[in-house]
Structures are given as C-alpha cells and as structure tokens.
Amino acid sequence: MSGRTIEFRIFRFKPGSIDPPRRDVFRLPVEPQTTVLDALEQIRLGRDRTLMYRHSCHHSACGTCACRVNGVERLACTTRVLELGADTLRLDPLSGFAPIGDLAVDMAGFFKDIDPHWSTLRPAGPGAGALLQLEDCIECGICVSACPAAGKHPQFLGPAALAAIGNELEKRPAARRELLAAAGAARGERLCERALACSRRCPTRVYPAAHIERLRRALANEEPS
Ligand code: SF4
Ligand code: FES
C-alpha cells in the first residue's frame, strides 16, 4: 500500500469561541503506517495549534483517544488511516458525553458509576502512573457512545458500568445482593436494548453485552424478597 492524500473533516466546537460548531477541512498526505492520531498531531503541529483532542499512551492502553471516524467509534491511536479505505474521514467526538472542545469530551459522568473500591480494579499499564483500570476495560467510552439505549436514556448506567458490575459479581459473590440491586435498578440492565453495539465496538474485548446478559439471568433467578 502506498501513501495518499486524505481529506480530514474535523468537528470543531469550543463553547464561547467556536460556537456554533463547524467542520474544518484539512488535506494531508499519509503513509500506510499513519494512524488517525498521527494525522491529528500533524494537523495540530503544522496547521492549527488550537485543535483539541485527547491522547496519552499511543498504544490502546489508556482509552483517551476514542472518537468517531466516519460515524464509527474507534481508538485514534490504533486506527490506520489507509486501512479504512476512504479518501475522506469525518472525525467527531464520542456521542453521549458533554463536549469540552473539538474531539475532547467530559468523561466525568462515565466514571461516577464505577466504584473505585471494587476488587476487580488493578493498576493500569506502564506509563499510566497510579491509575487503576477495570480488568481489560480501558475506560474509553466507546461502548457508551455506540449504545442506542445510552443515547436515549442519559440516566442509563451503560455498558461499561454494567460490565464492571458483572466482573465484580464474578470476583465477589458475597456482594451479590448489593451488586444485583445496582444492576436491577431503574437505571440498570432493563434499559439495555440488546443492540450488542457495545460488544462489537469495544476495542479490548470486554464484551459488555455478555456481562449484561449474565446479570439479567442472575436477576431473573433471584428470589423475590
Ligand atoms: S467496555 Fe470496552 S468499549 Fe466500554 S469503556 Fe471499557 S474498553 Fe471501552
Ligand atoms: S492514546 Fe491511549 S488508547 Fe489511544
């Protein structure tokens, strides 16, 4: 595969400065190894230093670079531009999160439903300092952005938090009552539409939909109190 020039159409929005939102277009020569994150860095360094996006590890460990590429949630750092087979890439922030600027969104709501004391938390990979991560979940938010139920019901716990509850239930059966109460609450698994988008898009194979299904069965088997 040889290099090509690709058009990047990037969502721009900064409350109070780029407002209303617009789309900026940058044409960039890319090589077969160039990732979406490489392209964003080239654009920021060479064309527009105000472009906002998140990144940290550059190797699919931190989850910060997630965005939508031509409408599909992906990690920018591991998505090679030319492998997408498109001459134009539309880059948008994840859906369902409050915008901060351009491709960066506010993830605070995502973390509030995952208890930092759950036993499944373990230190994240090298370069992530003292951060904790949940089993294989890199907390990228891709599953939430892809989930049609999360789009309709902002109060929904969402696939990552339900997967976290499912993980915790496997590791800590003694906490069954408390965990199933969370999963079975009005904000819990009942809002899931079984679209499976979470499992299809998750870059680290957490398979949130499988956890949700197990929680659903566990709830169905509970004795009414
Ligand atoms: S479950 Fe998968 S898609 Fe969802 S936040 Fe975790 S790593 Fe990302
Ligand atoms: S920069 Fe860490 S996952 Fe992409």
Side-chain angles (χ1 to χ4, degrees):
M1 203 189 299
S2 57
R4 233 171 53 231
T5 295
I6 299 293
E7 184 171 280
F8 293 86
R9 304 179 68 84
I10 306 180
F11 176 87
R12 304 300 304 274
F13 174 64
K14 288 201 177 73
S17 70
I18 305 177
D19 192 355
R22 64 170 195 244
R23 205 169 277 280
D24 283 352
V25 179
F26 303 92
R27 290 177 62 75
L28 207 69
V30 300
E31 297 300 322
Q33 300 303 317
T34 306
T35 64
V36 172
L37 182 55
D38 294 333
L40 284 169
E41 297 199 317
Q42 286 175 36
I43 292 168
R44 187 175 61 82
L45 291 175
R47 313 273 186 93
D48 185 343
R49 296 193 72 91
T50 70
L51 179 63
M52 281 179 71
Y53 53 91
R54 278 221 190 82
H55 66 92
S56 178
C57 70
H58 286 233
H59 58 84
S60 69
C62 74
T64 56
C65 66
C67 63
R68 284 181 297 146
V69 183
N70 285 352
V72 176
E73 288 79 7
R74 296 180 185 278
L75 293 179
C77 67
T78 50
T79 301
R80 292 213 174 117
V81 172
L82 294 185
E83 286 179 2
L84 297 171
D87 291 329
T88 301
L89 295 192
R90 214 174 59 254
L91 303 186
D92 289 281
L94 294 181
S95 303
F97 296 94
I100 292 179
D102 303 335
L103 301 180
V105 294
D106 184 352
M107 299 291 289
F110 176 88
F111 295 113
K112 79 176 179 349
D113 288 317
I114 298 178
D115 187 328
H117 300 106
W118 283 345
S119 59
T120 49
L121 291 172
R122 60 181 170 80
L131 295 178
L132 298 172
Q133 73 177 64
L134 177 79
E135 294 291 326
D136 290 330
C137 176
I138 57 171
E139 299 172 352
C140 62
I142 280 179
C143 54
V144 174
S145 176
C147 172
K152 280 182 226 154
H153 309 287
Q155 76 278 23
F156 180 32
L157 280 175
L162 285 167
I165 291 172
N167 252 322
E168 185 69 1
L169 186 58
E170 281 167 27
K171 299 270 163 46
R172 208 157 54 96
R176 182 180 178 87
R177 182 179 286 268
E178 164 207 337
L179 293 166
L180 287 185
R187 303 172 56 225
E189 63 76 30
R190 72 184 72 177
L191 293 176
C192 166
E193 299 176 6
R194 298 177 167 89
L196 307 184
C198 53
S199 287
R200 278 199 296 269
R201 302 269 169 83
C202 173
T204 56
R205 303 193 178 147
V206 171
Y207 299 114
H211 282 285
I212 296 172
E213 193 49 43
R214 274 197 291 277
L215 288 170
R216 195 172 268 141
R217 271 190 260 122
L219 283 161
N221 290 336
E222 281 294 280
E223 293 286 324
S225 53

